[in-house]
Each structure stands twice: as C-alpha cells, then as structure tokens.
Amino acid sequence: MTVSAPRILVTGSAGFIGFHTCSRLLDQGSTVLGIDNFSSYYDVTLKEKRTALLAEKSGFSLARISIEDQAALEKAWIDFKPDVVIHLAAQAGVRYSIEAPRSYVGANIVGTFNLLELARHHPVRHFLAASTSSVYGANTHMPFEETQRTQTPLSLYAATKGATELIGHSYSHLYGTPMTFFRFFTVYGPWGRPDMALFKFTRAILAGEAIDVYNNGAMVRDFTYVEDLADAIVRLIQAVPGRVAVEGDSLSPVAPFRSVNIGAGTPTQLMDYIGELERALDKTAIKNFMPMQQGDVPATEASSALLKHLTGAVPETPPSVGVPAFVKWYLDHYRS
Ligand SMILES: O=C(O)[C@H]1O[C@H](OP(=O)(O)OP(=O)(O)OC[C@H]2O[C@@H](n3ccc(=O)[nH]c3=O)[C@H](O)[C@@H]2O)[C@H](O)[C@@H](O)[C@H]1O
C-alpha cells in the first residue's frame, strides 16, 4: 500500500511504536519529520539506536524537542508543513502513573493540547494519535468495542489518554480537523520498551533472576505484534473520517472524529505468554507470584471489526511467532 501524503510529522519517533511507524513510512517513500525529546523514562541509548537506523533511510529528519515546548514545536511544524500528523509521543506505562503522575499530565495532556492547537492554526489532512486499550478501564463486556462507554479509567495513565480523546473531539468539532485516535492493545516485539513485561521477563530469565508475575498470573491481554500495529497505523492514514459511518463505527455524529482499536481480538493468558518466552529462551522462569497491581486491568480483548472495515486487515501474528521474534532481536542486540 502506498501513502499519498508525502509529508508526515511523527511525534515520539525514537519510541518503540514511533520507530516502527517511521521505518515503514520511510520505506514507502514518505518524507518524515520525527519529533522526540529522548526522555529518560527508560534507557536513552535504545532511543538513540532506533533513531540512528531511521537516519540511514532517505526522507527522515529529526527535531529533538519536547511536545511540551509549544514555541519549538510550532517552529518545527511551520518549517516542515506536514500534511498528516501521527502523534505517538506520550508518557507511557500503566503502573508508573502511580509513581509519577505529574509527568502524565505534562506529556499526555499539555503535549497533546499543543499539537491540537497547531492543527487548529495550520490545518492538516488527517491528525492521528495514540490512545490505549486502558481507556476501557472497569468495562467487563468483551470484546471491547469502540462504541462502549469509557468513563471508568483505573489509572491516571488511562485517564489522561481518555482525556486526550475528549479534547481531540472538541477540536475536531470546533475546527473541522479530521482525527483518528488509535486504541493500542499491549504492543510487543523487537525494539520493545524495557518497562514492559516481555522485555523485563527476558532480561530477568537470562540473568537467572525471578520474574514478578502480577495477579498470580490470572491476567489476560490481547497482545499486538508491533509490525502488525505499524501496518494498521499506516493503513489508517487513508481512512480519513468523513460524514459517512461504516458498520459498528465510533464516528462522531458532529465531527470528523473516530476512535479505533488496534488489536487482534485473540486474547492470551499471561502464563501462556510466559510459556512462549520460556520456550523461545529454552529456560524456565523462576516465578515470584504477586498480587494485582494498582492501576492494572485484569483482561483486555479488542473488537477488531471496525479496524477490518476501515483497512481491510487486522493484526494476525500470534505470540508463538512474535515472542520468538522479540527474543531473537534481544539476543542479537544485547549479546553481540
Ligand atoms: O494496552 C494498553 O493499554 C497498555 O499496554 C501496556 O500495558 P500492559 O498491558 O500492562 O503491558 P505489559 O507491561 O507488557 O504487561 C503485560 C501483562 O504482564 C503483567 N506484568 C507486567 C510486568 C511485570 O513485571 N509483571 C507482570 O506480571 C501485566 O500486569 C500485564 O498483565 C503498555 O505498557 C501501556 O502503555 C498501555 O498502552
């Protein structure tokens, strides 16, 4: 699939999902401006290495700025003149939002607001932004459909992401900006985030250390392989919200705005995910079973029907393929 919009501004380009998204866009011939502040939330060398790979591709440029720095952001935006914006920069992590709540308000609320203000004054063809499956919060009706209520977040992380969807909707209504908010479901794969389960477990198992297994392992996640996710993001660029709703659509009745799940709809038990990792590493994990953590949700399962309607494809890579792919990358990256 080709991307007709040639100039794409991607925030969070040094991040896990930003890196994979930029990589795919550049391979398809787009011109990409990456924006990233290289936050020290996790190992900055990983972000530098991802960026070095992007810099080898033609069409990529980088602005090392924070989305909280409105003046710097505005200059970068005006100089680049994007047709499309893909906003992935965020303070991520569900459980860390208990420890460091203020960083979530700054990056997620203020940062997103700055970008929306720029889209208001310098219109783009499509503004796409990352939200999360965590917005479904206390909902228990599975699969999670985009038309469900999302008023019961269980963490500040989820609350800030839900708030950006609401703020986005108001701007889409007021200024006519076409907007799509992606709800990601536990994304994993090569170049992954060191604060997430797969990376933490791999490091611990290889070091002969115990892994912490929350809620005694009684957790379910609709894990999404990152290559599938990047493919869905790129396809959704073309699905500019208009006036006509498709079946099961979350399209706003008053604005060119929708939220869409990016998930496979094939949930996996946490213990099975750990089992895939043990097989890939050929090592049994020492397991430290722990209680439920504050802010966590016990289960997620995406309805992928809307994504299928909009793009013709849904994530298909199962953990039995994706987990070994992560392990191969991890061993190549850290053992060479
Ligand atoms: O889709 C989302 O809404 C979120 O996905 C991701 O959150 P999670 O689903 O929590 O991912 P992840 O850490 O891989 O934990 C996976 C499972 O392992 C459990 N888990 C985790 C760590 C640990 O040490 N032990 C453990 O049992 C853990 O309790 C969970 O059951 C993103 O980080 C987040 O930014 C957000 O986008």
Side-chain angles (χ1 to χ4, degrees):
M1 177 184 180
T2 55
V3 177
S4 58
R7 303 182 70 77
I8 305 182
L9 186 155
V10 180
T11 71
S13 58
F16 171 40
I17 294 169
F19 161 70
H20 283 280
T21 303
C22 288
S23 204
R24 199 165 275 249
L25 291 170
L26 292 163
D27 288 346
Q28 293 186 348
S30 299
T31 300
V32 174
L33 171 66
I35 287 186
D36 208 293
N37 70 342
F38 294 76
S39 112
S40 58
Y41 168 59
Y42 65 77
D43 185 12
V44 174
T45 55
L46 192 56
K47 300 182 182 186
E48 294 288 0
K49 284 181 184 165
R50 293 180 187 133
T51 303
L53 289 180
L54 294 179
E56 284 172 11
K57 297 177 190 272
S58 79
F60 182 72
S61 58
L62 173 73
R64 282 180 187 259
I65 54 177
S66 166
I67 55 169
E68 292 176 65
D69 182 345
Q70 212 273 338
L73 197 59
E74 180 166 26
K75 183 174 183 322
W77 184 300
I78 288 171
D79 288 351
F80 183 66
K81 297 183 185 61
D83 302 306
V84 167
V85 172
I86 305 179
H87 170 38
L88 304 172
Q91 176 58 59
V94 176
R95 292 162 296 275
Y96 183 66
S97 65
I98 308 287
E99 259 175 72
R102 193 167 296 275
S103 57
Y104 288 77
V105 174
N108 300 358
I109 306 266
V110 177
T112 303
F113 164 72
N114 286 340
L115 287 154
L116 291 171
E117 271 288 296
L118 286 167
R120 165 187 176 179
H121 294 294
H122 311 281
V124 291
R125 191 161 70 78
H126 196 177
F127 184 101
L128 305 99
S131 185
T132 169
S133 68
S134 296
V135 299
Y136 292 107
N139 294 14
T140 52
H141 182 80
M142 305 276 174
F144 294 146
E145 287 166 353
E146 294 86 344
T147 48
Q148 286 181 16
R149 286 162 58 87
T150 53
Q151 276 90 336
T152 52
L154 299 183
S155 65
L156 181 70
Y157 167 69
T160 59
K161 284 291 183 174
T164 63
E165 292 194 30
L166 293 176
I167 297 167
H169 182 272
S170 70
Y171 268 58
S172 176
H173 169 59
L174 289 166
Y175 309 115
T177 311
M179 273 183 219
T180 298
F181 275 71
F182 319 115
R183 294 181 180 161
F184 298 152
F185 283 70
T186 311
V187 186
Y188 73 100
W191 296 97
R193 270 172 35 211
D195 63 316
M196 290 183 69
L198 190 58
F199 201 116
K200 285 172 73 185
F201 290 166
T202 302
R203 183 158 56 197
I205 293 170
L206 289 171
E209 294 166 6
I211 62 169
D212 291 337
V213 182
Y214 300 149
N215 201 27
N216 297 304
M219 292 285 215
V220 173
R221 287 290 182 275
D222 202 347
F223 293 102
T224 309
Y225 188 61
V226 68
E227 293 288 351
D228 293 343
L229 181 101
D231 181 63
I233 290 174
V234 172
R235 286 172 184 264
L236 281 166
I237 292 171
Q238 308 297 343
V240 182
R243 288 176 185 279
V244 183
V246 299
E247 200 185 312
D249 210 339
S250 60
L251 185 70
S252 163
V254 294
F257 176 100
R258 68 161 62 89
S259 300
V260 55
N261 293 336
I262 304 184
T266 52
T268 299
Q269 296 281 342
L270 178 57
M271 296 310 291
D272 293 338
Y273 189 58
I274 294 170
E276 294 296 352
L277 180 58
E278 292 177 319
R279 264 188 292 286
L281 289 170
D282 197 20
K283 263 186 114 174
T284 303
I286 308 161
K287 298 172 192 82
N288 177 30
F289 288 103
M290 294 180 67
M292 187 75 174
Q293 302 294 295
Q294 263 201 313
D296 251 352
V297 298
T300 63
E301 180 183 344
S303 163
S304 55
L306 179 57
L307 180 65
K308 183 81 189 273
H309 273 296
L310 295 172
T311 68
V314 293
E316 280 184 344
T317 308
S320 59
V321 174
V323 170
F326 171 81
V327 166
K328 182 181 180 318
W329 167 79
Y330 187 98
L331 295 176
D332 288 349
H333 192 77
Y334 288 103
R335 292 265 165 113
S336 55

